[in-house]
Coordinates of all heavy atoms in Angstrom, one line a residue:
A1 N -1.3 -36.4 -4.0 CA -0.4 -37.2 -3.0 C -1.2 -38.5 -2.7 O -2.3 -38.4 -2.1 CB -0.1 -36.4 -1.8
G2 N -0.6 -39.6 -3.1 CA -1.3 -40.9 -2.8 C -2.6 -41.0 -3.6 O -3.5 -41.7 -3.2
G3 N -2.7 -40.3 -4.7 CA -3.9 -40.4 -5.5 C -5.0 -39.3 -5.2 O -5.9 -39.2 -6.0
D4 N -4.8 -38.6 -4.1 CA -5.8 -37.6 -3.7 C -5.2 -36.2 -3.9 O -4.0 -36.0 -3.9 CB -6.2 -37.8 -2.2 CG -6.9 -39.1 -2.0 OD1 -7.8 -39.5 -2.8 OD2 -6.6 -39.8 -0.9
L5 N -6.1 -35.3 -4.1 CA -5.7 -33.9 -4.4 C -4.9 -33.4 -3.2 O -5.4 -33.5 -2.0 CB -6.9 -33.0 -4.6 CG -6.6 -31.5 -4.9 CD1 -6.0 -31.4 -6.3 CD2 -7.9 -30.7 -4.8
D6 N -3.8 -32.8 -3.4 CA -2.9 -32.3 -2.4 C -3.3 -30.8 -2.2 O -3.1 -30.0 -3.0 CB -1.5 -32.4 -2.8 CG -0.5 -31.9 -1.6 OD1 -1.0 -31.7 -0.5 OD2 0.7 -31.8 -1.9
V7 N -3.9 -30.5 -1.0 CA -4.3 -29.2 -0.7 C -3.5 -28.7 0.5 O -3.6 -29.4 1.6 CB -5.9 -29.1 -0.4 CG1 -6.3 -27.6 -0.1 CG2 -6.7 -29.7 -1.5
S8 N -2.8 -27.6 0.4 CA -2.1 -27.1 1.5 C -2.8 -25.9 2.2 O -3.6 -25.2 1.5 CB -0.7 -26.5 1.1 OG 0.1 -27.5 0.5
F9 N -2.6 -25.8 3.5 CA -3.2 -24.7 4.3 C -2.1 -23.7 4.6 O -1.0 -24.1 5.0 CB -3.9 -25.3 5.6 CG -4.3 -24.2 6.5 CD1 -5.5 -23.5 6.3 CD2 -3.5 -23.8 7.6 CE1 -5.9 -22.5 7.2 CE2 -3.9 -22.8 8.5 CZ -5.2 -22.2 8.2
H10 N -2.5 -22.4 4.5 CA -1.5 -21.4 5.0 C -2.3 -20.2 5.5 O -3.2 -19.7 4.9 CB -0.7 -20.9 3.8 CG 0.4 -19.9 4.2 ND1 1.5 -20.3 5.0 CD2 0.5 -18.6 4.1 CE1 2.2 -19.3 5.2 NE2 1.7 -18.2 4.7
R11 N -1.9 -19.8 6.7 CA -2.4 -18.5 7.3 C -1.4 -17.4 7.1 O -0.2 -17.5 7.4 CB -2.6 -18.7 8.8 CG -3.3 -17.5 9.5 CD -3.6 -17.7 10.9 NE -4.7 -18.6 11.2 CZ -6.0 -18.2 11.1 NH1 -6.3 -16.9 10.8 NH2 -6.9 -19.1 11.3
L12 N -1.9 -16.4 6.4 CA -1.0 -15.2 6.1 C -0.7 -14.4 7.3 O -1.3 -14.5 8.3 CB -1.7 -14.4 5.1 CG -2.1 -15.0 3.7 CD1 -3.0 -14.1 2.9 CD2 -0.9 -15.5 3.0
A13 N 0.4 -13.6 7.2 CA 0.8 -12.8 8.3 C 0.0 -11.5 8.4 O 0.0 -10.8 9.4 CB 2.3 -12.5 8.2
Q14 N -0.6 -11.0 7.3 CA -1.3 -9.8 7.3 C -2.8 -10.0 7.5 O -3.3 -11.0 7.2 CB -1.1 -9.1 5.9 CG 0.4 -8.8 5.6 CD 0.5 -8.1 4.3 OE1 0.3 -6.9 4.2 NE2 1.0 -8.8 3.3
T15 N -3.4 -9.0 8.1 CA -4.9 -9.0 8.4 C -5.7 -8.9 7.1 O -5.2 -8.4 6.1 CB -5.3 -8.0 9.4 OG1 -5.1 -6.7 8.7 CG2 -4.4 -8.0 10.6
D16 N -7.0 -9.2 7.3 CA -7.9 -9.1 6.2 C -8.0 -7.7 5.7 O -8.0 -7.4 4.5 CB -9.3 -9.6 6.6 CG -10.3 -9.6 5.5 OD1 -10.2 -10.4 4.6 OD2 -11.2 -8.7 5.5
A17 N -8.1 -6.7 6.6 CA -8.2 -5.3 6.2 C -7.0 -4.8 5.4 O -7.1 -4.1 4.4 CB -8.5 -4.5 7.4
V18 N -5.8 -5.2 5.9 CA -4.6 -4.7 5.3 C -4.5 -5.3 3.9 O -4.2 -4.6 2.9 CB -3.4 -5.1 6.1 CG1 -2.1 -4.9 5.3 CG2 -3.3 -4.3 7.4
L19 N -4.9 -6.6 3.7 CA -4.8 -7.2 2.4 C -5.9 -6.7 1.5 O -5.6 -6.4 0.3 CB -5.0 -8.7 2.6 CG -3.8 -9.4 3.2 CD1 -4.2 -10.8 3.7 CD2 -2.6 -9.5 2.2
A20 N -7.1 -6.4 2.0 CA -8.2 -5.9 1.2 C -7.8 -4.5 0.7 O -8.2 -4.1 -0.4 CB -9.5 -5.9 2.0
A21 N -7.0 -3.8 1.4 CA -6.6 -2.4 1.0 C -5.7 -2.5 -0.2 O -5.5 -1.4 -0.8 CB -5.9 -1.7 2.2
R22 N -5.2 -3.6 -0.5 CA -4.3 -3.7 -1.7 C -5.1 -3.7 -3.0 O -4.6 -3.6 -4.1 CB -3.5 -5.0 -1.7 CG -2.5 -5.1 -0.6 CD -1.3 -4.1 -0.8 NE -0.6 -4.4 -2.0 CZ 0.4 -5.2 -2.1 NH1 0.9 -5.9 -1.0 NH2 1.0 -5.4 -3.3
G23 N -6.5 -3.8 -2.9 CA -7.3 -3.6 -4.0 C -7.0 -4.7 -5.1 O -7.0 -5.9 -4.8
V24 N -6.8 -4.2 -6.3 CA -6.6 -5.1 -7.4 C -5.3 -5.8 -7.3 O -5.0 -6.7 -8.1 CB -6.7 -4.4 -8.8 CG1 -8.1 -3.8 -9.0 CG2 -5.7 -3.2 -8.9
F25 N -4.4 -5.4 -6.4 CA -3.1 -6.0 -6.2 C -3.1 -7.0 -5.0 O -2.1 -7.4 -4.5 CB -2.0 -5.0 -6.0 CG -1.9 -4.1 -7.2 CD1 -2.4 -2.8 -7.2 CD2 -1.2 -4.5 -8.3 CE1 -2.2 -1.9 -8.3 CE2 -1.0 -3.7 -9.4 CZ -1.5 -2.4 -9.4
L26 N -4.3 -7.4 -4.6 CA -4.4 -8.4 -3.6 C -3.7 -9.7 -4.0 O -3.1 -10.3 -3.1 CB -5.9 -8.7 -3.3 CG -6.3 -9.8 -2.3 CD1 -5.6 -9.6 -1.0 CD2 -7.8 -9.9 -2.1
R27 N -3.9 -10.2 -5.2 CA -3.3 -11.4 -5.6 C -1.8 -11.3 -5.4 O -1.2 -12.3 -5.0 CB -3.6 -11.7 -7.1 CG -3.1 -13.0 -7.6 CD -2.9 -13.1 -9.1 NE -1.8 -12.2 -9.5 CZ -0.5 -12.7 -9.4 NH1 -0.2 -13.9 -9.0 NH2 0.5 -11.9 -9.7
E28 N -1.2 -10.2 -5.8 CA 0.3 -10.1 -5.6 C 0.7 -10.2 -4.2 O 1.7 -10.7 -3.8 CB 0.7 -8.8 -6.2 CG 0.8 -8.7 -7.8 CD -0.6 -8.6 -8.4 OE1 -1.6 -8.5 -7.7 OE2 -0.6 -8.6 -9.7
A29 N -0.1 -9.6 -3.3 CA 0.2 -9.7 -1.8 C 0.1 -11.1 -1.3 O 1.0 -11.5 -0.6 CB -0.8 -8.8 -1.1
I30 N -0.9 -11.8 -1.8 CA -1.0 -13.2 -1.4 C 0.2 -14.0 -1.9 O 0.8 -14.8 -1.2 CB -2.3 -13.8 -1.9 CG1 -3.5 -13.2 -1.2 CG2 -2.4 -15.3 -1.7 CD1 -4.9 -13.5 -1.8
E31 N 0.5 -13.8 -3.2 CA 1.6 -14.5 -3.8 C 2.9 -14.3 -3.1 O 3.7 -15.2 -2.9 CB 1.8 -14.2 -5.3 CG 3.0 -14.9 -5.9 CD 2.9 -15.0 -7.4 OE1 1.8 -14.9 -8.0 OE2 4.0 -15.1 -8.0
Q32 N 3.2 -13.0 -2.7 CA 4.4 -12.7 -2.0 C 4.6 -13.5 -0.7 O 5.6 -14.0 -0.4 CB 4.5 -11.2 -1.7 CG 5.7 -10.7 -1.0 CD 5.8 -9.2 -0.8 OE1 4.7 -8.6 -0.9 NE2 6.9 -8.7 -0.6
E33 N 3.5 -13.6 0.1 CA 3.5 -14.4 1.3 C 3.7 -15.9 1.1 O 4.4 -16.6 1.7 CB 2.3 -14.1 2.2 CG 2.3 -12.7 2.8 CD 1.6 -12.6 4.1 OE1 1.7 -13.6 4.9 OE2 0.9 -11.6 4.4
L34 N 2.9 -16.4 0.1 CA 3.0 -17.8 -0.2 C 4.4 -18.2 -0.7 O 5.0 -19.2 -0.3 CB 2.0 -18.2 -1.3 CG 0.5 -18.1 -0.9 CD1 -0.4 -18.5 -2.1 CD2 0.3 -19.1 0.3
R35 N 5.0 -17.3 -1.5 CA 6.4 -17.6 -2.0 C 7.4 -17.7 -0.8 O 8.2 -18.5 -0.7 CB 6.8 -16.5 -3.0 CG 8.2 -16.8 -3.6 CD 8.4 -15.8 -4.8 NE 7.4 -16.0 -5.8 CZ 7.5 -16.9 -6.7 NH1 8.5 -17.7 -6.8 NH2 6.6 -17.0 -7.7
A36 N 7.2 -16.7 0.1 CA 8.1 -16.7 1.3 C 7.9 -17.9 2.2 O 8.8 -18.4 2.9 CB 7.8 -15.4 2.1
A37 N 6.7 -18.5 2.1 CA 6.4 -19.7 2.9 C 6.8 -21.0 2.2 O 6.6 -22.1 2.7 CB 4.9 -19.8 3.2
G38 N 7.4 -20.9 1.0 CA 7.8 -22.1 0.3 C 7.0 -22.5 -0.9 O 7.3 -23.5 -1.5
F39 N 5.9 -21.8 -1.2 CA 5.1 -22.2 -2.3 C 5.4 -21.3 -3.5 O 4.8 -20.3 -3.8 CB 3.6 -22.0 -1.9 CG 3.1 -22.8 -0.8 CD1 3.0 -22.2 0.5 CD2 2.9 -24.2 -0.9 CE1 2.6 -23.0 1.6 CE2 2.5 -24.9 0.1 CZ 2.3 -24.4 1.4
G40 N 6.6 -21.7 -4.1 CA 7.1 -20.8 -5.2 C 7.8 -21.6 -6.3 O 8.6 -21.0 -7.0
R41 N 7.5 -22.8 -6.5 CA 8.1 -23.6 -7.5 C 7.7 -23.1 -8.9 O 6.5 -22.9 -9.1 CB 7.8 -25.1 -7.4 CG 8.6 -25.8 -6.3 CD 8.2 -27.3 -6.2 NE 8.1 -28.0 -7.5 CZ 7.8 -29.3 -7.5 NH1 7.7 -30.0 -6.4 NH2 7.7 -29.9 -8.7
S42 N 8.7 -22.9 -9.8 CA 8.4 -22.3 -11.1 C 7.6 -23.3 -12.0 O 7.1 -22.8 -13.0 CB 9.7 -21.9 -11.7 OG 10.6 -23.1 -11.9
D43 N 7.6 -24.6 -11.6 CA 6.8 -25.5 -12.5 C 5.4 -25.8 -12.0 O 4.8 -26.7 -12.4 CB 7.6 -26.8 -12.6 CG 7.8 -27.6 -11.3 OD1 7.6 -26.9 -10.2 OD2 8.1 -28.8 -11.3
K44 N 5.0 -25.0 -11.0 CA 3.6 -25.1 -10.5 C 2.8 -23.9 -10.6 O 3.4 -22.8 -10.5 CB 3.7 -25.6 -9.0 CG 4.2 -27.0 -8.8 CD 3.9 -27.5 -7.4 CE 4.4 -29.0 -7.3 NZ 4.0 -29.6 -6.0
V45 N 1.5 -24.0 -10.9 CA 0.6 -23.0 -10.7 C -0.1 -23.2 -9.4 O -0.6 -24.3 -9.2 CB -0.4 -22.9 -11.9 CG1 -1.6 -22.0 -11.6 CG2 0.3 -22.5 -13.2
Y46 N -0.2 -22.2 -8.6 CA -0.8 -22.3 -7.2 C -2.3 -21.8 -7.3 O -2.4 -20.6 -7.5 CB 0.0 -21.6 -6.2 CG 1.4 -22.3 -6.0 CD1 2.5 -21.9 -6.7 CD2 1.5 -23.4 -5.1 CE1 3.7 -22.5 -6.5 CE2 2.7 -24.0 -5.0 CZ 3.8 -23.6 -5.7 OH 5.0 -24.2 -5.5
A47 N -3.2 -22.6 -7.1 CA -4.6 -22.2 -7.1 C -5.0 -22.0 -5.6 O -5.3 -22.9 -4.9 CB -5.5 -23.3 -7.7
A48 N -5.1 -20.7 -5.3 CA -5.3 -20.3 -3.9 C -6.8 -19.9 -3.6 O -7.2 -19.0 -4.2 CB -4.4 -19.1 -3.5

């Protein structure tokens, strides 16, 4: 944005412990919340 890297901030609704309990499916839990927050364009890869 304006020549500089566009970095967005997002605080998730779930706690660290709840998310960590997802184990190897932590990424999916993060993606679900990010998508609900509007970070879900099909032409973008989101580096979280």
